[in-house]
Amino acid sequence: MPIRTLIWNENVHERRNKVVSDLYPEGIHGAISKALSIDKGIEAATATLDQPGQGLSEEKLAKTDVLLWWGHVAHGDVTDANVELVAKRVHEGMGLIVLHSGHFSKIFKRLMGTPCALKWREAGERERLWVINRGHPIAKGLGEAIVLENEEMYGEPFSIPEPMETVFVSWFQGGEVFRSGVTYERGAGKIFYFRPGHETYPTYHDQDVHKVLRNAVHWAYNPAPAWVAINDAPNVPVEKALEPIVERGGKLHKKGEAGHR
Amino acid sequence: MPIRTLIWNENVHERRNKVVSDLYPEGIHGAISKALSIDKGIEAATATLDQPGQGLSEEKLAKTDVLLWWGHVAHGDVTDANVELVAKRVHEGMGLIVLHSGHFSKIFKRLMGTPCALKWREAGERERLWVINRGHPIAKGLGEAIVLENEEMYGEPFSIPEPMETVFVSWFQGGEVFRSGVTYERGAGKIFYFRPGHETYPTYHDQDVHKVLRNAVHWAYNPAPAWVAINDAPNVPVEKALEPIVERGGKLHKKGEAGHR
Amino acid sequence: MPIRTLIWNENVHERRNKVVSDLYPEGIHGAISKALSIDKGIEAATATLDQPGQGLSEEKLAKTDVLLWWGHVAHGDVTDANVELVAKRVHEGMGLIVLHSGHFSKIFKRLMGTPCALKWREAGERERLWVINRGHPIAKGLGEAIVLENEEMYGEPFSIPEPMETVFVSWFQGGEVFRSGVTYERGAGKIFYFRPGHETYPTYHDQDVHKVLRNAVHWAYNPAPAWVAINDAPNVPVEKALEPIVERGGKLHKKGEAGHR
Amino acid sequence: MPIRTLIWNENVHERRNKVVSDLYPEGIHGAISKALSIDKGIEAATATLDQPGQGLSEEKLAKTDVLLWWGHVAHGDVTDANVELVAKRVHEGMGLIVLHSGHFSKIFKRLMGTPCALKWREAGERERLWVINRGHPIAKGLGEAIVLENEEMYGEPFSIPEPMETVFVSWFQGGEVFRSGVTYERGAGKIFYFRPGHETYPTYHDQDVHKVLRNAVHWAYNPAPAWVAINDAPNVPVEKALEPIVERGGKLHKKGEAGHR
């Protein structure tokens, strides 16, 4: 059974800005969907902000193995309820791939717990993404670096927690560096942030970028059953303790009472 | 100059429940304040939920080096605005020590990005907190373990991100284990979660627990100036690039325009 | 193509001690081999210390995807040359699963860089291995804990580097705890240490232990081509720099000279 | 009491190569010693390879709080016994700062467990070390980056384990990037690797580099008593178990027998 991916895109600049719509006539989500669909092991669906429920629902997410997220100008429009739906699914085991300006998306900041801020410059300069770990599954099939002739610059400090793994570090022509591919685990969910992808450049038509996206889907996929109990805080009654114990001391909770949250 | 700590306590059960008020007539915050004040290098202030502004303000937090947090029944009452004030200060470099049932506080979940759930049992059983790293500053002056004759059980899985360091792991009489002392960094702020401290037991009168709290204050203290720019996403104009570059390709932003959030 | 595993066992106590040989008439390696072979996706070979070359060679390791290691009384007999052969293959991408008393094997200490010491007691007491992350691939198919009625106790502090992930934490009847399942990456190789497995108890006949071993093989397997260049320190000549630069300043190395090691 | 540092230098090129001796007439160790001594809180001693015992001994290391290490052409000459002496002290709590070409020193590879290889080019090009975490103690007093007009290039992949913290990432004029300041913990010892410092350039006369070295000494200093028992594997006899247990099952070890290593 193929991995079920959902590519979520705010899809705003594609409709407002001719530079962007000329580059991505089917939207950034359309370009990514095409790139993923080459792989028989991946099934690609798309969703956009202008759809009912902002393209998201509990049912849809329950059937999603890996979610890809692209947003920029409309981060603030995504409802907090939808952010919580996505966070819950990541904790349960859904993979999440956050792209480029998605560093400032509500869902990425929600899962990182930090500002996720950075420096930037839109000058179409050269970016070189160096592969840090040649044997990492996300770097499969790449050379020692990915070169993008035109990209937006993102510069450190990138205020994220220390990553589990750093897969790519970028060099920029104008003098900056950036941790461009970083991994995390949150609950049973695996998260990959991938830096390039500014909407005014043809990044999502690049063959190496396509490889990274497909590799990342395979890496982020957790085949385990959803860990639905991850939010529970169950009481273990004294009489069901695994080792025999006798109740002692003062008590706050009455028998069978739920814990406080 | 001593480290300026603020001990925040919801202070609810101390006023409602005789078991608790008999144990902590000056509140849990009072007991902790006394324990910290023994150290000439620490200055201890307290704040409670029932005070104006819930005992918190931008000014007060700006003068706080390390915040200690105890909450249980009233997590939901803490305003989101206050949670954001605290999170901002942690990112800037304020230390944070989260105590016991504070695992479910809004601020801890905000900074972890995970559910922070666990199993529990209120049976006054024996807990033994094993020191994982004998040379860690937080374990200074302790033996190989802290033994608490009566404590609430917290059991794994504890749904937190992988810690930077695991300092204590607990053994419980009833058969469970728990990662009872874990450290994190978020921005310039250092965070320590310390498990014991159920309000119906005399945990905050224990000498080893006092040592841990004092040690943790010293560990969490970051003397660096507040990293106030951590939330900024400054544009670096092309003409100010560190290496000379020529602008190329399509553009989204007009000159001097702010980035999207 | 199945994952090619090699189960290395010193195979000493199986031949000297009747308790052990009665439990493991085909050796611990034989019991593990049987457990792995149930899985069609795994191919299991074995090797022992008394074989030519101590059962190891560059050719054999080149065809090994995941190596399992059991040793205890004969750690010192394993040649340093063999330890380096194994380390090199782990860096290139071979998975390594270190079992029980293998915590003191040369290869584990070589890859960790720390003493890997611990407390111990041989009393046949009860061990309960709690699953920390229910969604982790190594915990697939398990309940909330594995219970082993008779095991040797290992107690903290376990002097290892902070793990990438903690998968299991053990509770012991006599009052100790232990980080019983921990993961690492070293170069392109994934490493899993799994605590239980004392030779005088039937641990390697336990169904849950079998599951963990099979799961760990799948987790540790890196399908990427061997990263054979990981030990190289190549010079990048000035005239082949990716961005044009002009040589400046003093020089130590003559043109084409190799670097120092 | 000041922090007792020992600056170890192989001191070979300073005596063989005029470029180097002109830059560092008192040796690289001399330049570093001068830089550290500005700080009243630091006491700086030096040691070189040509001294008796290679400048190292158990007694000397026992009185060292933080060791700085510079080596390049003579890594292979350092005795394995000396490497083990240093490793033992790091495990016990001595800080270690490894400089530049020390990435290939025996002691760094010993503590990392990986090849620690990288790319290099000696062209005197510009290096810019970006500060990743503005609030980190090692970055105290620095601006957003350190610029070194002439340095040797080191390029990724740098085959080290994932760092605990990444403090600096370097940009090189010729197109490469490098994780130039990374931290680790091994036992009770804190380790900092700092990239710049090629012997043919005036790096150790740079004021920002001096600041980093002084900051790193303070950061790496662990005031805890030496954790001398970190290598022990003590047996806990059944009759001394913390919780009463009854011995069961087969046994390998006779009463009071030492464990196998």
Side-chain angles (χ1 to χ4, degrees), chain C residues 67-86:
Chain C
L67 177 67
L68 295 95
W69 192 274
W70 200 100
H72 189 189
V73 70
H75 291 323
D77 295 346
V78 178
T79 64
D80 290 345
N82 271 338
V83 172
E84 287 311 305
L85 276 185
V86 173

Side-chain angles (χ1 to χ4, degrees), chain D residues 3 24-25 30-31 37 41 60-61 65 69 75 81 101 117 129 140 153 157 161 183 204 217 221 226 228 236 259-260:
Chain D
I3 300 171
Y24 299 109
S37 299
K60 200 185 273 192
L61 289 170
D65 295 317
W69 192 274
H75 291 323
S101 42
L129 295 105
K140 188 178 143 190
M153 179 280 286
T183 71
Y204 292 114
V217 165
Y221 172 55
V228 289
V236 183
H260 305 305

Side-chain angles (χ1 to χ4, degrees), chain A residues 7-235:
Chain A
I7 305 151
W8 190 94
N9 181 15
E10 61 176 37
N11 196 30
V12 174
H13 281 127
E14 286 95 328
R15 294 178 303 167
R16 286 191 198 161
N17 183 304
K18 200 175 154 12
V19 176
V20 183
S21 61
D22 281 357
L23 271 170
Y24 299 108
E26 296 170 76
I28 283 178
H29 54 290
I32 293 175
S33 175
K34 204 177 283 184
L36 298 187
S37 299
I38 285 170
D39 185 330
K40 300 275 186 243
I42 300 177
E43 191 180 290
T46 62
T48 52
L49 182 64
D50 57 349
Q51 293 176 341
Q54 309 192 321
L56 298 169
S57 71
E58 205 170 344
E59 297 67 39
K60 200 187 270 191
L61 289 169
K63 291 179 195 154
T64 299
D65 295 315
V66 178
L67 177 67
L68 295 96
W69 192 274
W70 199 101
H72 189 188
V73 69
H75 291 322
D77 296 346
V78 178
T79 64
D80 290 345
N82 271 337
V83 172
E84 287 310 305
L85 276 185
V86 173
K88 185 170 171 290
R89 275 292 293 145
V90 170
H91 295 148
E92 291 176 1
M94 181 180 74
L96 178 67
I97 299 171
V98 176
L99 298 167
H100 188 61
S101 42
H103 72 90
F104 258 162
S105 63
K106 285 184 177 179
I107 183 61
F108 190 57
K109 292 190 293 181
R110 165 73 174 82
L111 292 166
M112 295 296 105
T114 58
C116 305
L118 46 79
K119 287 199 195 70
W120 61 281
R121 177 175 55 232
E122 194 187 20
E125 68 202 272
R126 181 154 55 255
E127 174 180 16
R128 192 176 285 111
L129 295 105
W130 287 96
V131 177
I132 297 304
N133 183 334
R134 300 296 303 267
H136 196 285
I138 294 179
K140 188 179 144 190
L142 299 177
E144 65 176 13
I146 302 173
V147 184
L148 298 171
E149 198 47 41
N150 294 104
E151 251 298 348
E152 186 181 17
M153 180 280 286
Y154 277 9
E156 295 278 350
F158 183 21
S159 46
I160 46 172
E162 287 293 330
M164 180 168 82
E165 303 166 310
T166 299
V167 184
F168 300 106
V169 173
S170 283
W171 177 99
F172 287 96
Q173 206 179 347
E176 285 88 357
V177 295
F178 199 76
R179 290 169 291 169
S180 281
V182 289
T183 71
Y184 295 92
E185 291 178 350
R186 290 289 179 268
K190 296 169 90 175
I191 300 170
F192 178 58
Y193 172 78
F194 188 50
R195 198 214 75 82
H198 192 57
E199 56 266 53
T200 63
Y201 309 121
T203 299
Y204 293 115
H205 297 311
D206 183 273
Q207 297 300 310
D208 277 343
V209 169
H210 289 180
K211 276 183 202 165
V212 170
L213 295 175
R214 287 190 296 261
N215 290 343
V217 165
H218 284 280
W219 174 85
Y221 172 55
N222 186 347
W227 184 6
V228 288
I230 189 173
N231 283 281
D232 296 351
N235 176 248

Side-chain angles (χ1 to χ4, degrees), chain A residues 72 91 110 113 117-118 120-124 149 174 199-200 232-236 242-243 248 250-253 260, chain B residues 72 91 110 113 117-118 120-124 149 174 199-200 232-236 242-243 248 250-253 260:
Chain A
H72 189 188
H91 295 148
R110 165 73 174 82
L118 46 79
W120 61 281
R121 177 175 55 232
E122 194 187 20
E149 198 47 41
E199 56 266 53
T200 63
D232 296 351
N235 176 248
V236 183
L242 298 159
E243 304 287 328
R248 304 183 295 185
K251 280 185 78 75
L252 201 65
H253 298 273
H260 305 304
Chain B
H72 190 187
H91 296 148
R110 165 71 174 82
L118 46 78
W120 61 281
R121 175 176 56 232
E122 195 188 20
E149 197 49 41
E199 57 266 54
T200 63
D232 297 351
N235 177 248
V236 183
L242 298 158
E243 304 287 329
R248 305 182 293 186
K251 280 184 80 74
L252 201 64
H253 297 273
H260 305 304

